Amino acid sequence: MDDFVGKGELLRRLHNGYEDFNEGIKRLTPEQMETSGVNGKWSIKEVISHFIAHEQFALTEIRYALAGKHYEPEDTDINIFNEQAVAVRRDQSLDQIIQAWDASFRQIVMVVEELPESEFDPFGEFTRLLGDTVDGALGNNTYQHYAEHLLTIMTWISKLPRE
């Protein structure tokens, strides 16, 4: 578990991670955003689809904990989960994917804002039900995840021909 991270700090991390990712890709054309092979075999559009699935997974974990239950996901290989996340949105346009990610991110922020401060207690019942701190459950599915993929994307961007 990470050091204690309260609501305010988590919201700051979420917003900074989201803004950093969007800042990193803002100069790209739609064609570049849909170019395969940017991150493994994925395009940036597909990476964003992948983000949505991970955010929604984290929200499900949090909703279960709020209901007093521990979430037990299907035992799915992470690579299969990721491929399914991309496949589900494959036929959506880039604009639709970006709008869906924005909506998903806003859901994350809203849930965090609505959580009582007591749910951030690293030794509390909510943490036990969640199986992690709120930051631990969200960080690797949001801001840490964005940063991880942004590093790869920025390397790809640095190799693009200069206009």
Side-chain angles (χ1 to χ4, degrees):
M1 258 187 255
D2 287 343
D3 293 332
F4 174 73
V5 174
K7 182 189 297 194
E9 176 61 17
L10 177 54
L11 287 168
R12 185 191 69 74
R13 290 177 182 191
L14 287 167
H15 285 291
N16 286 347
Y18 185 77
E19 290 166 11
D20 288 350
F21 188 88
N22 280 302
E23 181 68 24
I25 64 170
K26 77 177 186 180
R27 291 179 184 84
L28 297 175
T29 66
E31 293 77 22
Q32 290 169 324
M33 295 276 288
E34 294 188 50
T35 299
S36 295
V38 174
N39 193 259
K41 64 182 178 179
W42 289 347
S43 67
I44 296 168
K45 174 186 163 185
E46 291 168 321
V47 169
I48 294 171
S49 293
H50 161 79
F51 287 165
I52 297 165
H54 279 267
E55 289 171 351
Q56 293 304 306
F57 177 86
L59 284 174
T60 299
E61 289 182 309
I62 288 172
R63 287 185 182 117
Y64 267 74
L66 285 169
K69 303 174 188 171
H70 177 73
Y71 180 60
E72 289 293 336
E74 290 181 28
D75 191 19
T76 303
D77 178 273
I78 191 65
N79 294 319
I80 294 170
F81 175 85
N82 289 335
E83 287 302 322
Q84 289 172 340
V86 170
V88 163
R89 296 183 182 275
R90 186 157 280 129
D91 293 333
Q92 292 182 350
S93 71
L94 177 61
D95 285 340
Q96 288 172 314
I97 300 287
I98 290 171
Q99 288 173 7
W101 185 38
D102 183 59
S104 180
F105 180 78
R106 282 184 280 125
Q107 282 181 307
I108 293 280
V109 169
M110 184 178 70
V111 166
V112 171
E113 288 174 341
E114 291 175 355
L115 284 174
E117 288 291 338
S118 62
E119 309 299 34
F120 290 85
D121 176 358
F123 304 104
E125 179 64 8
F126 190 75
T127 299
R128 186 188 68 72
L129 289 168
L130 195 55
D132 204 343
T133 62
V134 176
D135 179 57
L138 285 174
N140 64 349
N141 287 298
T142 59
Y143 68 89
Q144 294 168 351
H145 201 186
Y146 312 152
E148 173 189 335
H149 286 285
L150 185 58
L151 284 173
T152 304
I153 291 166
M154 295 309 290
T155 299
W156 179 80
I157 290 171
S158 73
K159 295 175 184 173
L160 291 174
R162 305 268 183 216
E163 292 182 14

